[in-house]
Amino acid sequence: MPEIKVTPLGAGQDVGRSCILVSIAGKNVMLDCGMHMGYNDDRRFPDFSYITQNGRLTDFLDCVIISHFHLDHCGALPYFSEMVGYDGPIYMTHPTKAICPILLEDYRKITVDKKGETNFFTSQMIKDCMKKVVAVHLHQTVQVDDELEIKAYYAGHVLGAAMFQIKVGSESAVYTGDYNMTPDRHLGAAWIDKCRPNLLITESTYATTIRDSKRCRERDFLKKVHETVERGGKVLIPVFALGRAQELCILLETFWERMNLKAPIYFSTGLTEKANHYYKLFITWTNQKIRKTFVQRNMFEFKHIKAFDRAFADNPGPMVVFATPGMLHAGQSLQIFRKWAGNEKNMVIMPGYCVQGTVGHKILSGQRKLEMEGRQILEVKMQVEYMSFSAHADAKGIMQLVRQAEPDNVLLVHGEAKKMEFLKQKIEQEFHVNCYMPANGETVTLLTHPNIPVGISLGLLKREMALGLLPDAKRPKLMHGTLIMKDNNFRLVSSEQALKELGLAEHQLRFTCRVHIHDTRKEQETVLRVYSHLKSVLKAHSVQHLPDGSVMVESILIQATAHSEDPGTKVLLVSWTYQDEELGSYLTSLLKKGLPQAPS
Amino acid sequence: MAAHLKKRVYEEFTKVVQQQHEEIASKKLRLTKPSKSAALHIDLCKATSPADALQYLLQFARKPVEAESVEGVVRILLEHYYKWSGTDPSTSLRYTCSGKSKTDQYPKYKENDASVRLKIASLLGLLSKTAGFSPDCIMDDAINTLQNEKSHQVLAQLLDTLLAIGTKLPENPAVQARLIDVACKHLTDTSHGVRNKCLQLLGNLGSLEKNVAKDTEGLATKDVQKIIGDYFVDQDPRVRTAAIKAMLQLHERGLKLHQTIYNQACRLLSDDYEQVRSAAVQLIWVLSQLYPESIVPIPSSNEEIRLVDDAFGKICHMVSDGSWVVRVQAAKLLGSMGQVSSHFLEQTLDKKLMSDLRRKRTAHERAKELYSSGEFSSGRKWGDDAPKEEIDTGAVNLIESGACGAFVHGLEDEMYEVRIAAVEALCMLAQSSPSFAEKCLDFLVDMFNDEIEEVRLQSIHTMRKISNNITLREDQLDTVLAVLEDSSRDIREALHELLCYTNVSTKEGIHLALVELLKNLAKYPTDRESIWKCLKFLGGRHPTLVLPLVPDLLSTHPFFDTAEPDMDDPAYIAVLVLIFNAAETCPTMPALFSDHTFRHYAYLRDSLSHLVPALRLPGRKLLSSPVSPSITPHEDPSQQFLQQSLERVYNLQHLDPQGTQELLQFTIRDLQRLGELQSDLAGVADFSATYLRCQLLLIKALQEKLWNMAAPLYLKQSDMASAAAKQILEETYKMEFMYSGVESRQVVIIHHMRLQAKALQLIVTARTTRGMEPLFGMCEKFLQEVDLFQRCFITELPHLQDSFVDKLLDLMPRLMTSKPSEVVKILQATLRQSTFLHLPLPEQIHRATATIIEPAGESDNPLRFTSGLVVALDVDATLEHVQDPQTIVKVQVLYPDGQAQIIHPKPSDFRNPGPGRHRLITQVYLSHGAWTEPCQIEVRLLLAYDSSTRISRAACLDGAEALPLVENSIEGTIPFSKPVKVYIMPKPARR
């Protein structure tokens, strides 16, 4: 039996180092190649030895697909392609291809230069790896080889994030990567057509959450910033360089524009400038509003947001500063935080989750006195706010996507096991499809029922179509013909042609049946009664009364004779060919019920 | 008179004859019947290839065909149709064309002749639509051709033709039945195009009453609905769509659709193609309106619900469809499902939140709770929104079949089209259900922060429409008021409008609103009027809430006198407007006022009477209001004053000239002042004042000494009289075109005044020019105008007893024959003797006004641009009482060198925020050569007029025939806004 096999090397009942192997109709595809944030040892990368112990990976994989530029989806790519060794094609969208190397380089710098690790991939390796990348457009069908084709769909989440459909023949699977079903200030919502794949592999980060409307969140955020700025306070927003930062920038930028505010907004430089450049370029990947207005003004060309300089932090008066990193654990954001923490007019807004142990986590949990390095005690008087801006689909969003794609099976990855359990149950209950949630290294095997193409001649098709008068949608339809299996293909031809091709003579098979009817009248009259009865019942068929005293229904012959022994019983002789079996048997059963008691 | 008439008749005669001559000639060329069809015939015969023939047909299609020759043309077309099809040579008629035999034509064309037949078929359709032509005679031919046709495209086109024929003959059941028969026969065609057309035909012609068809035996009654319904499951999505559309067409034609279709339609909602789903949503909506109360079972349970509720749920489901076209469609239709039960309606706003499987309250619920618990600020803690109780996993339904959260989704949609549709739907539903209005408030308020201005504006408008049903909570008001700082004037004004109608629940709310409005005022001083108006209503609606705030607002102190605020401060005026309007219905409030407040009241009542109501003030303060209680309220004193002063003027007939002039001057002054004070009487007052000014000018001009002296001596002084004449002319145009609501009675008087001015002009010219030649022309022109006046206003003449024109018409025969000098003399005498006409006042009259808001004209920074290139200047103006501003309002730019430029704004630049009000937001492109230093240009708005339109309209009203007015029409412009100066600086281009 044909089957699809899925083995997660990472992200199976877990978040981080997404890496899923799919073999579908003999083709092996690797989906994503990420690293794990939580580990610094071998566990941070997927275990590629699962694929092969020794030997090039190229021989075992047909292609690699990267869904978006987050490191937990692409972080292991140079390691995989250059250090383990893979020379086949790597597919990603254009924005991902553009931004991915920046992040990889940053990641490399932190690991090698700051933490001093050796045996890590080099800048050259990143470059070499990116040379193997093939960029794809949205909705473009890319033929990887003769049989395997892939197609990208818009996924929201971050710039350039895509869902991929992998298709071999009539078997297909969809991998969502990370996606977002509600649009935000700079990206649209994920969308997929009714592609009805055999398998949908979806992320499930928020499997057990239904989120509030984003408008409340945005409004709260803006209101807090606005109030602080009006009071003359300073607002610090620690962010990571890419993704949410751009959304918040747009949000503040438009708000400043609308409300005619004058307070300066700064963005700490570095990565962001490069990234913003790409955001400006890939306008087609953003949301409706930005796409429609970029001719007048590109929304990413910020009017109010300027580059930050270290010296600005001491400037008097209100200001808003976006600074990296997002959890206040090091770098510029922490420096600014220390400067501003003492003033109760100021505010820090944490737009995302903070890992335990970071300054961000401490202040969010209400700690007001922080011990900094050098035994200094920092008293936090500034206000601390938490706003959750996240770009993953919530439980409803996931269900909505499943509904849109109409898959036969669903497989959950990129989430916690406990939460997946709930969603799995829901999906099975509401869509009546199988749902799987394999752990890392666990293989799921699905049976598929692929279609087998059969050639049919147009003449036969038209002839058979003409038989049914009413239109019929894509329902199965009964056809008469002969199936010929020859030269490794199937053909459906009319029986005459089959006979001709095979050089056989035609045999006729005829059924004859006798029906006894109790009727005292003469034969002719019985025939007439039968005729009128059939005429009234079988309106859709042609019923004829022939001059020789028999009745023809289509090609079925009915004759009446008197019973040799009992003159009160008439014997109806019904005769039909094998082709008319359906009608013939219906007719006999009809006649067996007897004739209606006609008034005359 | 007779001579004049003779002259006129002669003139008309010559003109008309010439014109007719030309017209006949042109008609002959184009439209004569035999030439038309014959020409076509010859052309088609000449055609040697399908391309040629197609060309001829295309040319032919561009010209109109008159009704009587249609049939002939159709015959020829059909004949050629057979020729091109090559299927039926027996029907071909004799060909008149020579040289080519048929046999050598056929093989050549046979391959690709379908295009020609297609064109012929489409021509048949076009022709049968010709007005006045009854197409039943060509129906048989069309049907016959249909039977022999093989090409699907041509078939479809022929069916289209039949549709055209069928729609032309709606009263003929036999034809309809026959056409339906044809349609049914071709329904099984393999081409989707043909099936589409057949369904269209069925939809448009399917019989309305089945009983009628039953009478005609043999033809079994065709249940059109059943036939169409069968095609809901066609394999081609286009045919499915056509089938649904046909069904909708049947509905539109008044046929009652069967309820059985409902289930079929529901199945179509999950179709793969968006156009099918979109049409299916419509069909479901139609059915839900037809059978709202029928009961349908809920699948997979034993319960049953009303059909309209079921349909509502289904359409709600489509709000989260994959295609935005369907989403828009669904969201729009939701609004018009008023019969749905409130239980379902309220579900649309419901979205159960959870986090890690624990129930979480929405921000809306939290806000509400905070509010009701008395806490003011929202919690500033992490985990404020921490999830509360555990949820039973089994009970959570992630995809509801019902209406759950439809609007929550719709309002968050990616496409703003969907969001707007959802907001509109919310509006309509909330208008019909107060409880729903209360519930949807939070969501509407949220929409005030949408990223697209259009959506924000729409939601503000929606909120205003439902504001009768709602009371804003404080936290909601807070969000609403935050939008007051929006930089878009549209938004702010819409919000002011909304606040006018809003109910606020607490005194803190009122205070908050006032504070925010004052902030708004400080930030955008141009919003002054709008904010005052808003506070007027806010005060009037909430007197009891304002009362406790009064001491605070006026900053009065129980023991100490506080400093008197600055009376010209717009913010202080705003506060006073709020308080005074609240005091109108709250008699205890004035007791809290301090002395200067009463003084300020008197001042404001006078200067801003439209914002400050008359207050009943206790004791001695009564003297501030001159209104004595004896006057009945409906007799407005200012109205009376207006009438009296006008009557006084009209009554004077033979006063000494000096006295008349003085009285007129006083009255004009009074009227102008009245207009300033009473905005509702401004139109009338201005209108009358203008008229009186004209009269004054006329009297003054006639009082000139110039008339008493010999002509040659007064060249210099005559300036005054001719200037007066010119001014009167201008004023009359203003009166005629700047006021809305002017009726024909006034138009007569205005024209009469204009005639007088023209007479004056003529006299002055006669006195000041030497030689008779120019006078001949002028006299003749003047007499023509008198004549025109007579013809246009023949019905009004009886009202003009004893007037200038009345006398003039009496003297007409003499005037026609006499020399110009004599004419002038007669005119002079008549002008002096004629009396002053009484100007009846219309019911409603408003002066068109315009205020340019932007450019403000205060900037010291010149607008710099490179000379020779173009700079765009944003112009923003409000127009009041301008009818049809798209055609008549122009922008004029005056450069310092005297060069003037008139710009026609695009029709889309005008918006209509309210009745009688328009807003012009446009861009004016400036350009000029290089200047050495910056200089100011003037921008103003003009009202363009065309005198012919008004006269011909008047003429039409009077039932007279259209007059040859072309030479009389005067087009001009009236400036109707204050000019604004803009500082610009074209720099020389750098090389």
Side-chain angles (χ1 to χ4, degrees), chain A residues 185 188 191 194 196 209-213 215 219 258-259 288 364 385-386 403 419 426 430 473, chain B residues 233 270 272 317 320 322 354 356 363 382 396-397 399 411-412 416-417 446 449-450 479 486-487 523:
Chain A
R185 286 284 168 155
W191 180 85
K194 264 190 201 181
R196 300 195 174 90
T209 303
I210 301 173
R211 265 202 311 254
D212 200 354
S213 112
R215 290 182 193 287
R219 201 185 58 210
R258 262 180 66 198
M259 296 306 185
Q288 188 195 22
L364 278 181
E385 297 285 353
Y386 173 73
R403 186 166 72 112
K419 297 181 180 177
K426 283 290 153 198
E430 293 191 23
Chain B
V233 288
S270 51
D272 279 11
H317 202 56
S320 49
M354 62 175 188
D356 285 351
W382 188 23
V396 183
N397 196 8
I399 291 208
L411 293 176
E412 262 184 52
Y416 81 94
E417 292 90 342
D446 278 349
N449 279 322
D450 196 90
T479 324
D486 203 296
S487 58
K523 203 163 177 180

Side-chain angles (χ1 to χ4, degrees), chain B residues 235-508:
Chain B
Q235 57 175 349
D236 194 303
R238 288 163 289 196
V239 180
R240 292 201 290 274
T241 317
I244 303 174
K245 292 252 166 79
M247 202 62 105
L248 289 169
Q249 182 70 31
L250 283 181
H251 168 71
E252 251 165 57
R253 289 173 52 231
L255 194 74
K256 191 158 189 193
L257 301 184
H258 299 316
Q259 200 195 326
T260 46
I261 300 169
Y262 181 71
N263 284 331
Q264 284 177 294
C266 288
R267 247 171 275 139
L268 286 172
L269 284 180
S270 51
D271 199 277
D272 279 11
Y273 292 83
E274 62 176 31
Q275 71 266 42
V276 182
R277 292 199 300 266
S278 171
V281 169
Q282 277 182 52
L283 186 60
I284 290 206
W285 178 79
V286 164
L287 287 166
S288 78
Q289 302 299 305
L290 282 176
Y291 305 98
E293 299 301 330
S294 343
I295 298 295
V296 288
I298 303 175
S300 74
S301 81
N302 293 330
E303 289 172 62
E304 289 180 326
I305 49 170
R306 289 161 73 217
L307 190 140
V308 67
D309 289 342
D310 191 47
F312 187 76
K314 293 215 157 76
I315 296 179
C316 280
H317 202 56
M318 299 311 277
V319 174
S320 49
D321 190 84
S323 148
W324 70 272
V325 183
V326 180
R327 295 203 296 267
V328 171
Q329 178 77 266
K332 266 189 193 148
L333 291 176
L334 280 184
S336 46
M337 297 181 78
Q339 297 127 305
V340 74
S341 23
S342 60
H343 161 62
F344 278 86
L345 199 56
E346 278 155 26
Q347 267 188 12
T348 55
L349 296 173
D350 195 22
K351 190 182 178 187
K352 296 263 182 309
L353 299 192
M354 62 175 188
S355 169
D356 285 351
L357 284 180
R358 277 180 295 173
R359 170 98 173 82
K360 214 172 109 175
R361 287 162 310 141
T362 62
H364 292 151
E365 287 168 332
R366 287 205 306 276
K368 200 167 177 177
E369 215 165 276
L370 271 176
Y371 172 74
S372 51
S373 70
E375 252 179 277
F376 184 65
S377 76
S378 73
R380 293 184 194 285
K381 275 171 277 161
W382 188 23
D384 174 39
D385 57 348
K388 300 281 147 88
E389 69 268 43
E390 293 264 348
I391 298 179
D392 172 19
T393 48
V396 183
N397 196 8
L398 287 180
I399 291 208
E400 285 86 352
S401 51
C404 263
F407 279 119
V408 179
H409 286 292
L411 293 176
E412 262 184 52
D413 200 275
E414 183 186 358
M415 313 299 283
Y416 81 94
E417 292 90 342
V418 182
R419 297 200 296 268
I420 286 196
V423 168
E424 276 167 7
L426 262 188
C427 172
M428 285 164 78
L429 289 172
Q431 272 173 327
S432 57
S433 157
S435 67
F436 183 70
E438 196 73 44
K439 286 225 164 58
C440 75
L441 210 55
D442 276 323
F443 293 88
L444 271 182
V445 170
D446 278 349
M447 294 309 284
F448 285 14
N449 279 322
D450 196 90
E451 53 193 344
I452 302 234
E453 182 174 330
E454 219 177 318
V455 182
R456 294 201 293 270
L457 205 56
Q458 182 68 40
S459 39
I460 295 176
H461 285 314
T462 299
M463 187 100 142
R464 193 194 65 221
K465 284 181 199 151
I466 62 171
S467 53
N468 295 333
N469 289 336
I470 53 172
T471 305
L472 281 181
R473 280 201 323 267
E474 215 164 294
D475 55 307
Q476 289 164 339
L477 190 68
D478 203 32
T479 324
V480 172
L481 291 172
V483 188
L484 272 177
E485 285 190 49
D486 203 296
S487 58
S488 152
R489 198 184 155 96
D490 276 341
I491 296 267
R492 291 199 308 270
E493 275 178 4
L495 209 61
H496 295 157
E497 201 100 330
L498 162 67
L499 285 177
C500 287
Y501 298 103
T502 311
N503 300 316
V504 182
S505 50
T506 58
K507 76 174 196 325
E508 283 81 15

Side-chain angles (χ1 to χ4, degrees), chain A residues 51-188:
Chain A
I51 306 171
T52 167
Q53 293 292 344
N54 38 29
R56 304 285 291 173
L57 288 167
T58 321
D59 305 334
F60 296 89
L61 289 175
D62 289 284
C63 76
V64 173
I65 295 169
I66 303 295
S67 65
H68 64 282
F69 61 65
H70 277 156
L71 285 177
D72 61 333
H73 291 258
C74 72
L77 199 57
Y79 170 78
F80 162 78
S81 75
E82 304 309 309
M83 297 174 78
V84 182
Y86 169 75
D87 297 320
I90 302 169
Y91 292 95
M92 50 177 84
T93 61
H94 285 275
T96 311
K97 189 186 176 188
I99 299 173
C100 185
I102 307 177
L103 286 172
L104 285 172
E105 182 61 33
D106 190 57
Y107 174 46
R108 191 195 66 79
K109 259 189 211 157
I110 291 173
T111 341
V112 176
D113 299 354
K114 292 223 170 123
K115 295 182 185 160
E117 258 186 69
T118 50
N119 193 21
F120 204 71
F121 54 79
T122 61
S123 300
Q124 189 54 44
M125 284 180 179
I126 299 176
K127 277 179 199 153
D128 290 341
C129 166
M130 292 320 284
K131 280 181 194 152
K132 296 173 185 168
V133 170
V134 183
V136 298
H137 293 282
L138 278 185
H139 302 179
Q140 174 197 9
T141 306
V142 180
Q143 288 286 349
V144 178
D145 56 32
D146 289 344
E147 290 163 330
L148 177 64
E149 58 180 49
I150 61 171
K151 185 176 173 185
Y153 292 96
Y154 191 74
H157 189 60
V158 289
L159 191 78
M163 308 190 269
F164 281 91
Q165 185 192 34
I166 307 138
K167 197 172 175 187
V168 182
S170 67
E171 290 167 274
S172 64
V174 170
Y175 173 59
T176 62
D178 290 357
Y179 63 100
N180 190 5
M181 292 301 280
T182 45
D184 63 29
R185 286 284 168 155
H186 72 310
L187 297 173

Side-chain angles (χ1 to χ4, degrees), chain A residues 518-519 521 529 594-600:
Chain A
H518 184 76
D519 192 357
R521 275 167 281 198
R529 278 185 64 200
L595 297 177
Q597 287 307 313
S600 59

